[in-house]
Amino acid sequence: MALSARWRKAGLVAHVAGSVGWLGAVVASVVLGIVGMTSADADVVRAVYLVLEPLGWYALVPFSVFSLGTGLVQALGTRWGLLRHYWVLAKLAMNLFASGVLLLYMQTLTFLADTARTLAADGDVSALRTPSPLVHAAAAVALLVTALVLSVYKPRGLTGYGKRHATAVREPARR
Amino acid sequence: MTCNETVCIAKSETRAEEEAMANLWTGFRRTPRWVQVFTVVGLILLAVLIVALLGGHGGPARHGAGH
């Protein structure tokens, strides 16, 4: 089903906005991860792990789902298709992988927030410090930037299905 | 025909599997270089994820230092 030009552009705006929002939220997580690891102020460290949880549930997860949904609409509603070009297929796989890992990782962020909540004000925050959020967020930035590069450069390469589809479209046109 | 029916079926299945693997490899070699690199990196990431999940890193217990 091909979208009209107006809907295609609206869909593209939504997809870019959702994906950029996701990247921004992940970069914020990187910054928080660094602060959580390096800050000497115990209150700041506790605050970092308290903030990471709502950032995940109210920004990272919704943006990832929105990006996936709008990406599917864009792929299925335009000439690119979902399974015709390797770059689209690669982006889909990367989005599913990142969203899956994020949903699994939300357990950890919830656990860290609970620990920060129960830690006494004068408690030892070294028990809270972990490089895990920083490592995961940095990996997510690398993944999302790769997806961004694929979107902009659109490297060549048709899948087997894409080649058959292209031939099928070309043949009736010749007759 | 020197094989009985069961042996023949087993041999043809093995041959079909070998041909399928060969076709898969040939198809992979024909894809653009960047797709080959992506596939290898993706498989490594997937293996890391599976190993991490099997090692109990999917849950929160291992992540909180000191908990």
Side-chain angles (χ1 to χ4, degrees):
Chain A
M1 186 191 73
L3 293 172
S4 67
R6 182 185 293 180
W7 282 107
R8 199 170 58 237
K9 282 191 179 173
L12 184 61
V13 168
H15 183 58
V16 171
S19 304
V20 168
W22 189 8
L23 183 58
V26 172
V27 170
S29 303
V30 170
V31 174
L32 287 173
I34 293 170
V35 172
M37 283 297 292
T38 57
S39 177
D41 189 331
D43 287 338
V44 171
V45 175
R46 273 170 13 101
V48 161
Y49 292 101
L50 285 171
V51 166
L52 276 172
E53 188 199 11
L55 180 70
W57 283 122
Y58 302 126
L60 293 172
V61 172
F63 274 132
S64 74
V65 173
F66 188 74
S67 172
L68 179 62
T70 53
L72 287 173
V73 171
Q74 277 298 104
L76 295 171
T78 65
R79 70 186 171 88
W80 293 108
L82 188 61
L83 307 172
R84 293 179 209 163
H85 296 264
Y86 281 118
W87 72 268
V88 179
L89 206 57
K91 277 192 68 187
L92 175 67
M94 287 161 69
N95 194 316
L96 288 174
F97 180 82
S99 300
V101 172
L102 171 63
L103 287 173
L104 285 171
Y105 194 65
M106 284 313 298
Q107 292 176 61
T108 302
L109 292 184
T110 302
F111 173 82
L112 289 169
D114 287 344
T115 308
R117 223 171 271 127
T118 53
L119 205 66
D122 56 347
D124 181 15
V125 286
S126 62
L128 197 58
R129 285 185 209 273
T130 166
S132 173
L134 176 60
V135 170
H136 282 78
V141 167
L143 200 93
L144 293 178
V145 169
T146 307
L148 177 64
V149 170
L150 283 179
S151 302
V152 173
Y153 285 89
K154 296 181 177 58
R156 284 166 186 267
L158 285 173
T159 61
Y161 170 73
K163 283 175 189 164
R164 284 195 297 277
H165 184 270
T167 311
V169 169
R170 224 177 289 131
E171 285 302 317
R174 280 185 189 163
R175 286 174 198 158
Chain B
M1 185 85 51
T2 54
C3 53
N4 65 38
E5 195 179 342
T6 313
V7 175
C8 276
I9 289 170
K11 279 184 177 175
S12 66
E13 280 178 355
T14 309
R15 205 177 303 124
E17 282 172 13
E18 284 171 0
E19 280 176 11
M21 285 303 290
N23 286 341
L24 198 67
W25 178 243
T26 311
F28 177 71
R29 292 292 301 273
R30 281 184 187 155
T31 59
R33 181 58 61 86
W34 75 267
V35 175
Q36 294 176 12
V37 173
F38 259 68
T39 307
V40 172
V41 173
L43 288 174
I44 291 169
L45 282 176
L46 208 60
V48 169
L49 178 67
I50 290 168
V51 168
L53 287 175
L54 291 176
H57 286 267
R62 299 279 181 91
H63 285 291
H67 291 271

